Amino acid sequence: HADAHQVPLSYVPASHRPTGLARNLDIAEGAGALVLNNRNITGDPLESAARPNSSNCHLTAVAAVPRAIPKFAYKKGTTTLGFEFKGGIIIAVDSRATQGQYIASQTVQKVIEINNYLLGTMAGGAADCQYWERYLGMECRLWELRNNSRITIAAASKILSDIAWSQRNMDLSMGTMVAGWDKHGPSLYYVDNDGTRMKHKLFSVGSGSIYAYGVLDTGYHYDLEVEEACDLARRSIFHATYRDGASGGWCSVYHIHAGGWTKVSRDDVDKLYHRYAGKE
């Protein structure tokens, strides 16, 4: 038969097997089993005689000790901020993605547009933030279909927090803000990979946040006008990118109001130097 060579060896009678093969591989037949190099390869694996014991147990090579395996330094960098004021909420982010000292991208979109009234920001692992915030968008749409109403910001942030808590041992890297406008007005929440969920009027997240906080603490107050609030957010991102090597690229500013969100501007931070360099 043309496919005779594909028939398993155990089904070929001993008289028809090549003598050289039997000699080289040390093949023998037991009671309904084929033994290859002193190992039963066709018998019942649950048979007591086939279980490991001192005579048929073979030790494997010793594995490398954990300290011999280099640890991957998962270094991240970004600057994101958000604050509430009388005109709604301002969200501002940079656009640089880094892998240690290597700048992987200067054009990352760090604001996830979840729906027309809800925004999320990214800090930490880009894949984790993008995937779970887009998943949150799906959950928000399902909520609308089930309840015939728009989801509240508190409920949306709670869904993301529950997801992060359920995945807390999976080494996620997320430091996100969830901001939007619902029937209760504007709301701003911080959610991270441990499931932490906090509501406040001002947040800055990322490696450049310490520099952004310095500018925000100086210029922020609740009664800012829209243009003043946007300028404060833009200036805070600029100074963070100026001092933090892991932040940079483009500065994007969003304004969340009763009608939804509006993308106000997207500026090259290098060109913002001449506008803000003298305003320490």
Side-chain angles (χ1 to χ4, degrees):
H1 192 277
D3 296 329
H5 64 281
Q6 297 180 0
V7 177
L9 191 60
S10 59
Y11 296 102
V12 178
S15 60
H16 290 76
R17 295 176 191 160
T19 56
L21 181 63
R23 181 174 61 253
N24 295 335
L25 297 181
D26 190 18
I27 298 174
E29 283 187 301
L34 180 66
V35 178
L36 176 61
N37 293 336
N38 295 322
R39 292 192 180 185
N40 183 349
I41 62 173
T42 61
D44 184 1
L46 299 180
E47 185 181 357
S48 60
R51 295 174 185 170
N53 53 55
S54 59
S55 63
N56 63 13
C57 183
H58 301 275
L59 295 177
T60 59
V62 178
V65 294
R67 64 176 175 272
I69 302 174
K71 181 176 177 58
F72 178 68
Y74 190 39
K75 297 179 181 179
K76 305 168 290 294
T78 190
T79 304
T80 64
L81 64 86
F83 58 83
E84 186 178 333
F85 71 112
K86 70 176 184 179
I89 295 175
I90 294 294
I91 297 292
V93 299
D94 75 318
S95 66
R96 177 174 292 181
T98 57
Q99 297 172 336
Q101 295 181 339
Y102 173 68
I103 299 175
S105 175
Q106 288 277 70
T107 56
V108 175
Q109 179 66 20
K110 295 185 181 180
V111 175
I112 306 297
E113 299 166 355
I114 299 173
N115 60 35
N116 292 336
Y117 293 85
L118 187 60
L119 295 176
T121 65
M122 292 169 41
D128 293 338
C129 294
Q130 285 184 347
Y131 177 84
W132 289 115
E133 289 190 31
R134 288 173 179 171
Y135 183 89
L136 174 62
M138 179 192 71
E139 291 289 342
C140 292
R141 178 56 180 155
L142 289 174
W143 174 289
E144 293 178 2
L145 294 173
R146 293 188 187 112
N147 299 279
N148 198 29
S149 64
R150 201 167 72 232
I151 191 170
T152 63
I153 313 307
S157 64
K158 181 60 175 174
I159 291 174
L160 185 60
S161 174
D162 289 344
I163 291 172
W165 172 256
S166 68
Q167 303 286 327
R168 63 190 180 281
N169 295 322
M170 303 302 291
D171 291 330
L172 294 183
S173 177
M174 295 168 55
T176 70
M177 288 181 286
V178 178
W181 194 294
D182 56 26
K183 60 185 179 181
H184 304 295
S187 296
L188 177 64
Y189 286 85
Y190 167 80
V191 179
D192 67 15
N193 49 264
D194 292 325
T196 303
R197 173 174 170 266
M198 296 184 293
K199 183 180 181 181
H200 199 53
K201 293 186 180 297
L202 186 150
F203 287 112
S204 183
V205 186
S207 59
S209 62
I210 54 175
Y211 307 108
Y213 270 128
V215 179
L216 289 171
D217 289 343
T218 302
Y220 171 76
H221 58 88
Y222 184 79
D223 294 326
L224 290 168
E225 298 296 332
V226 173
E227 186 56 38
E228 293 175 329
C230 292
D231 188 71
L232 174 62
R234 197 178 296 113
R235 180 155 46 94
S236 300
I237 293 293
F238 163 75
H239 283 290
T241 61
Y242 186 71
R243 298 293 182 183
D244 177 38
S247 302
W250 295 74
C251 173
S252 298
V253 179
Y254 286 75
H255 176 212
I256 300 173
H257 45 81
W261 54 261
T262 301
K263 188 172 183 178
V264 177
S265 64
R266 181 173 172 84
D267 301 289
D268 187 342
V269 296
D270 292 337
K271 296 181 180 179
L272 293 178
Y273 176 84
H274 301 287
R275 188 187 306 182
Y276 297 121
K279 300 180 180 180
E280 297 290 345

